[in-house]
C-alpha cells in the first residue's frame, strides 16, 4: 500500500499529539470522610484514614504526621487528631502548650484558639493549653461531647444539658436550660442544637440563627453554618468574605472557622468558600497519572 506524503505527515502529527496528551496530568478532586477548619488552614481525613491539610502552615498546622486518624479538629493555628487506638496527636503552634496532649485515650477532640479539650474514654473531659480564663479547667462530670471557643469551652453532659466554663463576659458560657444533641463554641458566642433540630444561641453574635431545622451546626469566629434536614447548608453572621454564602448543593458535613467555611458534598469532595488569602479555601486535587 502506498501512502501519500500528506497522509504520513498527518499520522506523524497525530502520534505527536497523543504523546503530548499522555504527558498532561489529569487532575481530580480528592475524596474525604471528614473535614475541619482552622483560622487560615483546613484539613481533611481521606478515605484511607490519612490526613491532608492546606492553607497557612507558618506553625506547621498544615503538616500532619504521616499517620492514620479517625477524627481531626482545627484550632486557630494548630490541629489535633485521634488515632484508631484512641490516642491523640496535635501539631502546629504551641505557644500555650495547646499541642501537648496528655497521656490518655479519647473518643473526641476539639481545638480552640490557644487551648484544646478532649472527651476521654471514661466520659470525663480534660483540657490543655491556655487557661487564662479557666477555659482549660473543665468541671467534673460525665460528658457526651466537648467544644472549644476562643476563651471558653462547653460540653454536653450525660443528661443532655450543656455546661460551659471559661470567659463569660458576653454570656457565652451561660447556656439556656434544656437538653441538646450538639454544642459548638465560637469566638464570643455558643450555639446548641436541640433534638427537635432547633438551634439556640447565647453570647455576643452577629446575627440570630434562622428559624429552620438542622442536623448539625458549626460555629466560627463571627459566622456560623448549619446542615439542614435536606442536606443543604445555611449560614449566618459576618459575610465580608463570602464565608456565609454557601454553594447551592447537598452536603454531608460542615466545618467553619476564621473567615471561611468548608463542607464535604454528596460525592465526598470538599467545597470551601470565604477568604482564601492563605489557600485555606482551595482544597488540593490529585493527579490520576
Amino acid at each position: 500500500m502506498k501512502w501519500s506524503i500528506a497522509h504520513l505527515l498527518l499520522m506523524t502529527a497525530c502520534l505527536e499529539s497523543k504523546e503530548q496528551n499522555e504527558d498532561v496530568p489529569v487532575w481530580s478532586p480528592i475524596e474525604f470522610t471528614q473535614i475541619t477548619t482552622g483560622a487560615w488552614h483546613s484539613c481533611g481525613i481521606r478515605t484511607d484514614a490519612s490526613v491532608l491539610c492546606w492553607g497557612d502552615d507558618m506553625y506547621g498546622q498544615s503538616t500532619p504526621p504521616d499517620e492514620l486518624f479517625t477524627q481531626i479538629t482545627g484550632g486557630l493555628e494548630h490541629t489535633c487528631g485521634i488515632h484508631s487506638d484512641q490516642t491523640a496527636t496535635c501539631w502546629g503552634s504551641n505557644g500555650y502548650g495547646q499541642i501537648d496532649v496528655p497521656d490518655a485515650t479519647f473518643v473526641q477532640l476539639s481545638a480552640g484558639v490557644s487551648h484544646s479539650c478532649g472527651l476521654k474514654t471514661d466520659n470525663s473531659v480534660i483540657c490543655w493549653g491556655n487557661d487564662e480564663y479557666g477555659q482549660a479547667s473543665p468541671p467534673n462530670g460525665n460528658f457526651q461531647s466537648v467544644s472549644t471557643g476562643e476563651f471558653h469551652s462547653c460540653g454536653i453532659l450525660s443528661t443532655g444539658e450543656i455546661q460551659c466554663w471559661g470567659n463569660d463576659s458576653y454570656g457565652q458560657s451561660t447556656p439556656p436550660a434544656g437538653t441538646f444533641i450538639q454544642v459548638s463554641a465560637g469566638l464570643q458566642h455558643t450555639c446548641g442544637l436541640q433534638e427537635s433540630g432547633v438551634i439556640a444561641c447565647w453570647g455576643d453574635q452577629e446575627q440570630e440563627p434562622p428559624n429552620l431545622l438542622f442536623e448539625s451546626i458549626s460555629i466560627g469566629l463571627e459566622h456560623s453554618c448549619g446542615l439542614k434536614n435536606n442536606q443543604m447548608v445555611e449560614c449566618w453572621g459576618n459575610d465580608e468574605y463570602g464565608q456565609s454564602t454557601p454553594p447551592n448543593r447537598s452536603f454531608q458535613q460542615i466545618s467553619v472557622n476564621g473567615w471561611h467555611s468548608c463542607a464535604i458534598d454528596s460525592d465526598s469532595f470538599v467545597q470551601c468558600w470565604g477568604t482564601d488569602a492563605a489557600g485555606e479555601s482551595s482544597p488540593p486535587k490529585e493527579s490520576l497519572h
Side-chain angles (χ1 to χ4, degrees):
M1 179 182 293
K2 294 184 179 180
W3 299 90
S4 67
I5 295 177
H7 198 169
L8 290 171
L9 290 175
L10 179 60
M11 290 181 63
T12 301
C14 289
L15 288 172
E16 290 178 349
S17 176
K18 181 180 180 182
E19 291 175 354
Q20 291 174 357
N21 289 336
E22 288 177 350
D23 293 335
V24 176
V26 177
W27 297 97
S28 173
I30 298 172
E31 292 187 5
F32 290 89
T33 61
Q34 190 181 138
I35 187 70
T36 188
T37 50
W40 297 280
H41 76 291
S42 308
C43 295
I45 297 181
R46 302 184 62 176
T47 53
D48 64 358
S50 65
V51 170
L52 186 61
C53 301
W54 55 95
D56 183 39
D57 197 33
M58 180 179 294
Y59 299 97
Q61 65 266 42
S62 294
T63 305
D66 187 19
E67 299 170 2
L68 304 181
F69 292 86
T70 59
Q71 190 240 330
I72 52 170
T73 173
L76 182 71
E77 295 168 335
H78 73 292
T79 312
C80 296
I82 297 177
H83 303 286
S84 58
D85 64 358
Q86 298 186 304
T87 60
T89 301
C90 296
W91 57 94
S93 176
N94 199 33
Y96 294 91
Q98 62 265 43
I99 70 171
D100 295 334
V101 184
D103 185 16
T105 51
F106 299 89
V107 295
Q108 186 240 325
L109 295 176
S110 180
V113 169
S114 54
H115 76 293
S116 308
C117 291
L119 177 64
K120 296 167 59 178
T121 51
D122 64 0
N123 297 319
S124 66
V125 169
I126 187 171
C127 302
W128 56 98
N130 189 355
D131 198 31
E132 181 180 359
Y133 294 94
Q135 66 267 37
S137 297
N140 295 324
N142 291 326
F143 287 84
Q144 301 180 40
S145 65
V146 64
S147 180
T148 53
E150 183 187 27
F151 298 124
H152 76 293
S153 308
C154 295
I156 298 182
L157 294 163
S158 58
T159 59
E161 298 171 300
I162 292 176
Q163 187 165 1
C164 300
W165 55 96
N167 188 6
D168 195 33
S169 56
Y170 294 93
Q172 65 267 45
S173 294
T174 305
T179 58
F180 296 82
I181 60 173
Q182 186 191 351
V183 63
S184 185
L187 182 67
Q188 295 167 343
H189 75 291
T190 310
C191 292
L193 181 64
Q194 300 173 349
E195 190 171 359
S196 62
V198 174
I199 297 175
C201 297
W202 54 98
D204 183 31
Q205 52 187 321
E206 291 283 322
Q207 181 180 331
E208 289 293 326
N211 187 23
L212 300 169
L213 300 182
F214 292 85
E215 289 188 356
S216 64
I217 54 174
S218 182
I219 310 304
L221 298 184
E222 296 179 343
H223 79 291
S224 308
C225 293
L227 185 65
K228 297 187 294 184
N229 290 349
N230 62 0
Q231 306 305 306
M232 304 295 284
V233 168
E234 184 87 14
C235 300
W236 60 97
N238 190 328
D239 197 31
E240 181 179 359
Y241 300 100
Q243 66 266 43
S244 293
T245 306
N248 186 25
R249 61 190 308 165
S250 59
F251 291 95
Q252 305 177 42
Q253 189 224 330
I254 179 76
S255 177
V256 308
N257 203 333
W259 297 267
H260 75 294
S261 311
C262 291
I264 298 178
D265 66 21
S266 56
D267 295 319
S268 299
F269 301 144
V270 170
Q271 307 285 334
C272 299
W273 56 96
T275 182
D276 197 31
E280 62 268 37
S281 293
S282 296
K285 297 182 178 181
E286 62 182 349
S287 175
L288 296 182
H289 67 74

